[in-house]
Amino acid sequence: MASGAAPYLVVEEVSKAFGTVMALDGVSLTVAAGEFVSFLGPSGCGKTTLLRAIAGLDPANSGRILQAGRDITALAPAARDFGIVFQSYALFPNLTVAENIAYGLRGPAWPKPRRASRVAELVELVGLTEHVRKFPAQLSGGQQQRVALARALANEPGLLLLDEPLSALDAIVRLHLRQEIRTLQQRLGVTTIMVTHDQEEALGVSDRVVVMNHGRIAQIGRPEDIYRRPANPFVAGFVGRSATFIAWVEAAEGLLQAGQDGWRIAADAARGMPRGTRVEVFIRPEDVRLTRPGEGGAGSFPVTVRHWEFLGPVCRLTLAAGPQRQLEADLPPDAAHALGAMPGAALAAEVPPERVLVFAADA
Amino acid sequence: MFRRTIAFGLSLLLAPLAAEAQQRTRLTVYTALENEQLQPLKQAAEAALRDIEIAWVRDSTGVITARLIAERQNPRADMIWGVSVFSLLQMEGLDMLEPYTPLGAEALRPNFRSDRKPMTWTGMDAFVSAICFNTVVAQARNLPRPTTWADLLNPAFRGQIVMPNPASSGTGFLTIAGWMGSMGEAPAWDFMTKLHENVQVYTHSGSAPCNNTARGEYGVGISLDMRAVTLKNQGAPIEIIVPTDGVGFDMEGTAIHRGTRNAEAAKRLADWAVTRDAMEMYGRWYAVLALPGVQPTVRGYPAEFEQRLVSMDFRAIATRRDQILRDWAARFDGKSAPRN
Amino acid sequence: MPETRPDGTVALPAAAQQRVAGDALLLRGGLWITASVLAIGLVLPLATLFVRAFEDRDGGFAGLENFGRYVTTPTLLAAAGNSLWIAAATTAIVVPVAFFYAYALTRSCMPMQALFRTVMLIPVLAPSLLPALALVYLFGNQGMLKGLLLGHSVYGPIGIVMAQCFYCFPHAAIIMAVALATTDARFYEAAEALRAGRGRIFATVTLPGARYGLVSAAVVVFTLVVTDFGIPKVIGGQFPVLATDVYKQVVGLQDFNMGAVVGLVLLLPAIGAYLLDRWAQGKRAATLSGRAVPYAPRPRRQRDLPLLVFCLGVASVLAGLLGVAAWGSVIRFWPYNLSLTLDNYDFARFDAAGWDSLLVSVRMAGLAAILGTVLIFCTAWLLERGTRPGRLGSILRFAATLPLAVPGLVLGLAFILFFNHPANPLGVLYGTLAILVLNSVVHFYTVAHLTAVTAIRQLDPEFEAASASLKVPAWLTCWRVTVPMCLPAILDIAVYLFVNTMTTVSAVIFLYGPDTKPASVAVVHMDEAGQASAAAAMAVAILGVTLSAKLLQLGTARLVERATQRWRRR
């Protein structure tokens, strides 16, 4: 494996157009050896295109891609070093599990006994030993997924590419499998890139997440950074839930004013912004703390409960803070009952200034 | 196993292709002879000339003639064997025939061979146009028995007569040539115009009218004698009538196509075509043969029909063949749309 | 630089890269092969035909003179008119009959549906000459049922329309059955929920749902009739139509220029129909949603019984005509000696080629089936799954659909004009089996191509990407996965090519040589000579071969399924 210093995969200014549509617009990123990176974004953001450009399936129009120091931009897929799991798995339906896994193990490097032992090793790895003679159609979705994974790993590729690998599965299998994939990845130490539109999946398993939008990279960072410190309004809005509104920076350090009613809120992020700057404000539901009216601290403001939604572990309350602003707050059902947070109830709310996300609005 | 089966099947399909490349010289012979004559003739000729193989291209006289003329820049035929002398003379005019006098050709009746030296063609046999008359249909429909061509103008025959299209059929052409010879040209056109009213269909081939009449599709078929005799011998309820007011006749002949790549083999086949053996073969189907003294073995011909043959100037008619056919097509082909 | 892994294997030997380049070259090369086949077998001949229409007999430029001669010759114009109204009449009869027949198959609980489905397909296996010959036995001047024609002659429009109905019926019925089978059951549920009566449901749901199918069926029948040659040749009498005119100009008069003109005229309705059909297909595809719920009819006597009677009627006409032809082929001397004999099958008595012509047909059809299937399937795969076929790909995709618009007779004529040109080095092919095979493959290319494309599109689109990632060349994956999975479709294509090549007359009538006369042409020749029984016998022999091929397909389909489709079972 490549040494820690030099990145294993380098993507430099890669662009790709389909007709007049720019699917990728000057994308650059690096992936370290052994790292698990997810490409996250809404559909059409270019994440799959980027993955396929790295695989060589849809080569880039311009830019460079280096893998382990080797320029692979112009290479055909077969000349590159990767394994891939497709959204549809693309298992060969007329071949058994064993034949599927052994499919790429050919040539003089793979005499029969070696191939057989490698297949045995892989089915063991993905826990399908008793199914080796079955055909894909005889397996469950999750089992098929594991076959696809085993097949992709058979040749010990330097890079594992996962294209929406879990999207065809139902919720419980999905949760289970994504943990399994992560465990397997860490055990094998294989550099992995996963494309997904499911932020929970991306945040849950990745070392780093690449958030993409309109063919560009919106932010690259560790999951927590992406969530807590989004680089721009798109990431703030796309990753996690939040209430959003427009505000202006007031004279006082870190104070924002929104609307005609003089409603104010303190935000650390607004410090240093010139007075009068128009900003977009994002507030996540779990950051809103509710108290009974009058019991709140200095920064608290009155709110009225509009709507109440039971989600199991938490209740989501829709709050009116003034005539035009809505916030959301999550709190455990017991706490909500204790507060008497029923629709129509008047409460006090506060948001820690360090948790208020503020971005200068463009226009 | 599966693959071997496929390979075997493929080799079966392809094998005959490879086998086509044989030792014997292949002569492509264009002919208008009747279908059933081809096989016996081929066998007899190939038995006599062991290193020659005959590949027939057969169609009706008109078609084969048109095809020969159309292909003359890029000829595919080596020989012409069993095609109307009208056609051979037309081709002679276009300089398409290789002059060669086959061994023994001088023994043929003088009017059954080319008058050039060396000869451009040699005759085989002569046949006449005749009326096939279905007696069963005649009884059912109350048709009178015709004895002359003129009898066919009787309105009782309306829709009951079928004759070959002279443009495609040699029999059709010799029939109208015979009418022109016996009646004179203008009366012949007049006759055909009237006859057209009674004709149900002009067929592509010369034997079809008699075949169709034998099956009772029509009462009267104008066809060639040889076909009528064969069918009668097969048991069809037909009578062969050689009209007493003169019948046209045609000779069939043999010629070598100019420019053939197999001239030697073609000459040897031309030699064989005038031998007594060959004449005896022709005599199985035709009553009048080119070589005097050969007794035809065909039965059922009406007696003394040789006397009824009109005198024909073949060369004169041959040179006008195109014109006559154009006139015919203009008069009758156009009008012959649906008539029930 | 190859990277050495901890386990000592070389991850990317330099040879791998070369192999990849070789792969791409192979794939592109494949497309070029198809491109040249279609160029030699379709584009160049048609171009020659087009040019010849503007030339005089000696090869000089004649401008529109030939066309002038065409429009001023009343017989030729009449033939065009005849072709159109014959086609219209046949369409008007066949499409409604096919609609109700298909309706009974898909929308009723009529018994014996499988049997009716089988009987419906029989005419596809027979040469079009066969119904025409059978009609001569039935309605000819000595016909058994002649009285039914009330004194009209079967030789002419009546006979042509009757025979065309038999010949075109399965084509229309198949299209209608597909159109009716793919309607969404939820429309019916909705209509019933809204309390619509049966008549109203039929008028507002069933008919509109099938309307593009109706258009397609009508277009297909119309084109088949306009372009068919065998039927008017046998039973048309003196009734001229476009197809027999082409033949007459070319074979009878050897007037290739006028033949080319008539050929172009014949091409017009065919192209119009082709465009109309593409439009209808596109519209129909748009009305289908992937989530349609299949319609399951419930038994209802008042509907099922009349439909059963109707289908019995249609099926017995189809089977009856076939039976008459078969019976006619074993009659000693129709109509005077009805004792049975196999003498008519002694073909050498009637035609110099004898049984050989059937052998020629089998060889021609066999080669067309094998070579054609390989070519068509590989091309479809390259177009669908090859590495970026590019502009050549889009040209080929279009070219592959063109043969459907070219009548066999026009293609055959174009072939002689092209291959028989003195300057063409490919002229050596003229009259050989090779040219017949090429002609047949091109003639039937489109339907086979569409079958292959449909089958390939049903497979996961990422197979080739997956195999590339596993460093397995695409062609190997095609061989190991795509071909086995598409085997039923491949068999379909092969049998389709075989059956159609066996039965076609129009495309090959200009092209056969001294030793390559196909059986279907022999039928025409024997009929031309008035040998109806022998012609019927040969037509029946052809049917025997195609029927055996079909049965063989059904038989092997089961074996093949057991061997290669095991994965379908859960």
Side-chain angles (χ1 to χ4, degrees):
Chain A
M1 219 166 254
S3 70
Y8 179 71
L9 184 77
V10 180
V11 175
E12 279 177 14
E13 289 295 320
V14 165
S15 293
K16 167 91 185 167
F18 292 109
T20 54
V21 181
M22 285 300 283
L24 288 178
D25 191 358
V27 169
S28 299
L29 63 96
T30 61
V31 179
E35 204 179 8
F36 194 122
V37 171
S38 292
F39 295 170
L40 176 67
S43 50
C45 72
K47 55 190 191 295
T48 295
T49 312
L50 180 57
L51 187 86
R52 293 178 74 90
I54 292 169
L57 298 170
D58 288 322
N61 299 131
S62 65
R64 251 180 14 133
I65 301 175
L66 296 116
Q67 183 179 4
R70 192 170 65 122
D71 188 341
I72 59 166
T73 319
L75 292 186
R80 304 185 183 203
D81 179 24
F82 68 94
I84 187 166
V85 175
F86 294 97
Q87 188 171 8
S88 61
Y89 313 143
L91 293 178
F92 303 125
N94 60 326
L95 305 182
T96 62
V97 168
E99 287 167 334
N100 261 290
I101 294 173
Y103 197 77
L105 307 177
R106 49 192 284 281
W110 291 99
K112 221 171 176 182
R114 181 163 179 230
R115 196 164 65 205
S117 70
R118 178 66 179 149
V119 170
E121 194 183 323
L122 285 159
V123 289
E124 165 101 58
L125 190 70
V126 295
L128 288 173
T129 312
E130 66 270 39
H131 301 297
V132 279
R133 298 202 180 287
K134 290 190 180 167
F135 291 100
Q138 297 165 320
L139 302 177
S140 72
Q143 288 167 330
Q144 291 183 23
Q145 216 277 341
R146 286 175 220 212
V147 178
L149 195 61
R151 186 178 69 178
L153 291 169
N155 239 334
E156 299 188 338
L159 179 63
L160 178 64
L161 304 176
L162 308 169
D163 183 6
E164 304 256 8
L166 302 168
S167 65
L169 303 170
D170 54 50
I172 297 171
V173 184
R174 202 147 134 180
L175 189 69
H176 179 65
L177 258 176
R178 87 179 186 222
Q179 285 159 0
E180 224 177 89
I181 289 178
R182 176 60 162 160
T183 314
L184 199 64
Q185 185 267 338
Q186 285 172 328
R187 217 168 102 200
L188 301 174
V190 58
T191 312
T192 303
I193 297 175
M194 175 170 80
V195 162
T196 181
H197 63 270
D198 181 336
Q199 41 177 297
E200 195 183 310
E201 205 168 286
L203 299 178
V205 299
S206 315
D207 292 318
R208 283 191 302 150
V209 175
V210 177
V211 184
M212 297 184 64
N213 189 30
H214 293 311
R216 297 175 196 221
I217 291 180
Q219 186 175 3
I220 305 180
R222 294 185 304 118
E224 209 183 318
D225 293 338
I226 298 280
Y227 191 81
R228 284 279 167 236
R229 281 175 287 283
N232 47 49
F234 169 76
V235 177
F238 182 72
V239 180
R241 232 186 132 80
S242 47
T244 177
F245 49 86
I246 297 292
W248 284 266
V249 177
E250 272 218 335
E253 274 285 278
L255 204 60
L256 301 174
Q257 181 192 327
Q260 307 300 316
D261 54 349
W263 188 82
R264 286 183 174 76
I265 189 167
D268 289 354
R271 284 175 203 279
M273 284 188 179
R275 179 176 180 250
T277 309
R278 189 164 174 269
V279 293
E280 266 183 89
V281 181
F282 292 80
I283 295 173
R284 301 209 185 273
E286 69 271 20
D287 293 335
V288 178
R289 285 172 204 156
L290 292 176
T291 51
R292 288 179 211 284
E295 290 178 10
S300 77
F301 48 89
V303 293
T304 315
V305 179
R306 278 279 159 79
H307 190 75
W308 191 92
E309 207 176 331
F310 180 72
L311 299 175
V314 292
C315 282
R316 178 155 301 159
L317 304 177
T318 310
L319 309 168
Q324 285 133 25
R325 254 172 320 281
Q326 284 205 346
L327 293 181
E328 285 180 339
D330 283 356
L331 71 167
D334 291 344
H337 285 301
L339 271 176
M342 301 309 288
L347 297 172
E350 67 182 310
V351 183
E354 72 275 15
R355 290 289 170 92
V356 178
L357 306 173
V358 178
F359 302 97
D362 292 325
Chain B
M1 170 63 202
F2 183 56
R3 274 183 218 178
R4 223 175 287 166
T5 316
I6 286 181
F8 178 70
L10 256 181
S11 64
L12 264 189
L13 286 167
L14 291 167
L17 282 178
E20 278 172 15
Q22 272 181 346
Q23 296 293 317
R24 296 191 291 169
T25 310
R26 270 169 63 89
L27 289 177
T28 302
V29 182
Y30 279 35
T31 184
L33 288 170
E34 293 296 303
N35 262 314
E36 66 259 42
Q37 301 164 0
L38 299 181
Q39 198 57 22
L41 260 184
K42 175 178 157 87
Q43 274 165 4
E46 286 177 356
L49 311 165
R50 294 210 161 270
D51 54 343
I52 288 178
E53 191 196 348
I54 294 172
W56 295 115
V57 175
R58 194 211 101 85
D59 216 315
S60 293
T61 307
V63 173
I64 212 78
T65 308
R67 189 160 167 188
L68 279 162
I69 292 172
E71 287 176 355
R72 68 181 189 275
Q73 306 297 346
N74 192 16
R76 305 203 172 261
D78 295 304
M79 279 207 57
I80 300 139
W81 189 14
V83 171
S84 158
V85 169
F86 293 114
S87 301
L88 291 176
L89 286 169
Q90 196 184 350
M91 283 183 257
E92 184 194 86
L94 292 167
D95 200 23
M96 287 167 63
L97 305 182
E98 180 76 30
Y100 170 70
T101 305
L103 299 174
E106 275 82 6
L108 301 180
R109 298 175 206 248
N111 56 340
F112 272 74
R113 61 183 198 224
S114 164
D115 50 3
R116 300 273 169 94
K117 268 189 178 116
M119 296 181 190
T120 49
W121 59 274
T122 53
M124 298 157 59
D125 52 66
F127 60 96
V128 300
S129 50
I131 294 172
C132 294
F133 184 61
N134 187 313
T135 49
V136 176
V137 174
Q139 207 148 34
R141 297 190 167 258
N142 233 346
L143 302 178
R145 180 184 183 280
T147 57
T148 63
W149 293 119
D151 287 349
L152 295 180
L153 300 182
N154 185 336
F157 289 111
R158 196 184 169 91
Q160 282 300 314
I161 298 178
V162 53
M163 77 168 275
N165 184 330
S168 58
S169 155
T171 307
F173 185 74
L174 81 88
T175 305
I176 65 170
W179 290 335
M180 288 178 176
S182 62
M183 304 176 193
E185 193 157 337
W189 283 117
D190 192 41
F191 169 76
M192 283 188 270
T193 309
K194 289 184 189 139
L195 184 66
H196 182 66
E197 291 306 307
N198 284 350
V199 171
Q200 173 69 26
V201 65
Y202 295 100
T203 65
H204 177 86
S205 100
S207 49
C210 204
N211 280 329
N212 290 335
T213 305
R215 280 190 290 119
E217 286 295 298
Y218 310 100
V220 174
I222 298 173
S223 191
L224 69 166
D225 53 356
M226 169 262 143
R227 166 57 48 197
V229 170
T230 314
L231 282 166
K232 189 178 170 117
N233 292 346
Q234 277 174 16
I238 52 169
E239 194 179 334
I240 306 151
I241 299 169
V242 179
T244 53
D245 48 354
V247 291
F249 75 104
D250 190 2
M251 282 184 282
E252 288 177 310
T254 311
I256 299 172
H257 202 295
R258 193 183 271 286
T260 168
R261 262 170 268 165
N262 300 307
E264 279 318 302
K267 284 176 180 171
R268 293 181 43 225
L269 185 56
D271 291 346
W272 188 81
V274 297
T275 58
R276 175 167 282 272
D277 287 350
M279 290 293 160
E280 276 167 0
M281 291 295 299
Y282 311 148
R284 284 159 65 172
W285 305 289
Y286 299 97
V288 182
L289 300 173
L291 192 64
V294 179
Q295 196 54 48
T297 49
V298 59
R299 290 174 302 110
Y301 269 87
E304 39 68 52
F305 85 116
E306 273 189 74
Q307 283 86 51
R308 298 184 199 160
L309 305 186
V310 298
S311 67
M312 307 238 283
D313 181 347
F314 282 101
R315 195 184 294 277
I317 295 174
T319 50
R320 296 188 43 239
R321 183 172 178 270
D322 265 357
Q323 185 57 45
I324 293 171
L325 288 181
R326 260 203 299 279
D327 286 353
W328 188 89
R331 285 166 196 257
F332 307 124
D333 218 14
K335 282 202 293 176
S336 59
R339 291 157 19 102
N340 294 312
Chain C
M1 272 266 294
E3 181 202 8
T4 308
R5 296 254 189 69
D7 62 350
T9 58
V10 176
L12 280 165
Q17 284 184 45
Q18 275 163 18
R19 197 182 62 214
V20 168
D23 245 27
L25 214 65
L26 197 78
L27 300 184
R28 264 202 106 59
L31 282 185
W32 278 109
I33 290 175
T34 313
S36 44
V37 167
L38 286 177
I40 293 172
L42 181 70
V43 179
L44 292 176
L46 285 180
T48 316
L49 177 87
F50 190 76
V51 170
R52 284 295 287 269
F54 295 93
E55 280 181 1
D56 59 28
R57 274 193 170 224
D58 303 316
F61 180 73
L64 291 174
E65 194 193 308
N66 293 322
F67 291 88
R69 209 146 50 92
Y70 180 84
V71 292
T72 50
T73 311
T75 22
L76 291 176
L77 274 187
N82 286 344
S83 276
L84 294 183
W85 83 257
I86 287 284
T90 309
T91 310
I93 297 170
V94 165
V95 172
V97 173
F99 176 85
F100 284 107
Y101 197 91
Y103 185 83
L105 289 180
T106 54
R107 299 295 182 81
S108 80
C109 291
M110 175 183 77
M112 302 187 290
Q113 285 182 338
L115 177 75
F116 284 122
R117 247 174 220 282
T118 315
V119 172
M120 163 182 109
L121 295 176
I122 288 178
V124 174
L125 300 176
S128 67
L129 306 148
L130 189 128
L133 290 164
L135 286 175
V136 172
Y137 285 104
L138 285 175
F139 300 104
N141 290 341
Q142 294 290 329
M144 296 172 266
L145 305 174
K146 185 179 184 325
L148 293 181
L149 292 186
L150 305 171
H152 295 284
S153 169
V154 76
Y155 298 104
I158 297 178
I160 298 180
V161 170
M162 285 201 285
Q164 293 289 10
C165 285
F166 173 90
Y167 168 59
C168 298
F169 175 76
H171 300 272
I174 292 168
I175 293 172
M176 287 320 311
V178 171
L180 286 169
T182 48
T183 298
D184 195 337
R186 288 172 306 185
F187 291 131
Y188 289 86
E189 287 161 5
E192 271 170 33
L194 295 169
R195 293 172 205 283
R198 290 209 176 88
R200 184 138 179 255
I201 292 181
F202 185 83
T204 56
V205 181
T206 308
L207 273 183
R211 68 184 184 276
Y212 297 115
L214 282 169
V215 172
S216 272
V219 162
V220 165
V221 170
F222 192 89
T223 321
L224 278 174
V225 177
V226 169
T227 58
D228 178 65
F229 163 74
I231 288 172
K233 181 85 185 78
V234 169
I235 206 163
Q238 294 301 107
F239 184 77
V241 294
L242 279 173
T244 46
D245 263 5
V246 176
Y247 181 73
K248 202 154 81 183
Q249 293 297 330
V250 171
V251 170
L253 306 174
Q254 302 279 316
D255 186 344
F256 292 97
N257 305 101
M258 187 50 85
V261 170
V262 184
L264 286 182
V265 173
L266 191 54
L267 204 51
L268 285 180
I271 287 179
Y274 165 81
L275 294 176
L276 191 62
D277 189 47
R278 285 197 79 160
W279 170 82
Q281 295 277 357
K283 286 277 187 189
R284 198 162 77 81
T287 62
L288 288 180
S289 88
R291 289 174 199 208
V293 178
Y295 178 80
R298 285 173 297 243
R300 192 158 64 80
R301 257 184 98 80
Q302 306 95 293
R303 177 197 60 202
D304 295 349
L305 197 65
L307 283 175
L308 177 66
V309 172
F310 173 78
C311 287
L312 272 175
V314 173
S316 42
V317 167
L318 295 182
L321 271 183
L322 208 68
V324 167
W327 176 72
S329 74
V330 293
I331 294 286
R332 193 174 298 279
F333 199 96
W334 169 265
Y336 301 111
N337 185 347
L338 299 186
S339 62
L340 301 185
T341 175
L342 285 177
D343 283 0
N344 297 319
Y345 286 84
D346 183 8
F347 296 126
R349 287 173 52 220
F350 310 100
D351 191 280
W355 276 91
D356 285 353
S357 59
L358 195 69
L359 206 68
V360 166
S361 274
V362 171
R363 274 164 59 198
M364 171 175 89
L367 283 172
I370 293 169
L371 302 178
T373 306
V374 171
L375 178 83
I376 291 167
F377 188 83
C378 290
T379 306
W381 179 78
L382 287 172
L383 287 176
E384 288 300 309
R385 298 301 174 83
T387 46
R388 286 176 291 286
R391 180 161 301 179
L392 178 65
S394 20
I395 292 172
L396 274 183
R397 244 181 267 270
F398 175 70
T401 64
L402 267 189
L404 198 63
V406 181
L409 213 55
V410 177
L411 190 65
L413 175 58
F415 260 55
I416 20 173
L417 295 180
F418 176 65
F419 284 96
N420 211 12
H421 197 281
N424 189 342
L426 293 167
V428 292
L429 289 178
Y430 190 71
T432 63
L433 201 60
I435 200 173
L436 294 172
V437 171
L438 175 66
N439 179 273
S440 305
V441 170
V442 171
H443 185 191
F444 302 113
Y445 197 99
T446 304
V447 172
H449 171 75
L450 294 179
T451 309
V453 165
T454 308
I456 292 169
R457 282 196 184 155
Q458 279 168 1
L459 303 181
D460 191 306
E462 307 285 11
F463 279 168
E464 284 69 27
S467 85
S469 78
L470 296 168
K471 323 259 180 291
V472 177
W475 61 265
L476 191 65
T477 300
C478 176
W479 177 246
R480 279 195 65 189
V481 179
T482 315
V483 168
M485 292 193 63
C486 294
L487 216 50
I490 291 174
L491 265 182
D492 267 352
I493 294 171
V495 171
Y496 169 84
L497 289 174
F498 184 86
V499 165
N500 280 288
T501 308
M502 276 302 292
T503 56
T504 187
V505 185
S506 55
V508 294
I509 193 133
F510 297 131
L511 298 174
Y512 68 93
D515 339 272
T516 56
K517 188 206 268 190
S520 53
V521 175
V523 176
V524 171
H525 284 176
M526 291 194 272
D527 177 74
E528 262 177 0
Q531 318 273 19
S533 309
M538 186 61 99
V540 169
I542 293 174
L543 178 68
V545 172
T546 53
L547 198 62
S548 314
K550 193 76 195 169
L551 292 176
L552 198 68
Q553 181 199 8
L554 295 179
T556 46
R558 211 159 281 170
L559 282 180
V560 162
E561 194 173 323
R562 211 173 297 162
T564 67
Q565 310 284 300
R566 218 157 24 117
W567 50 272
R568 281 192 200 275
R569 270 176 286 140
R570 285 181 182 263

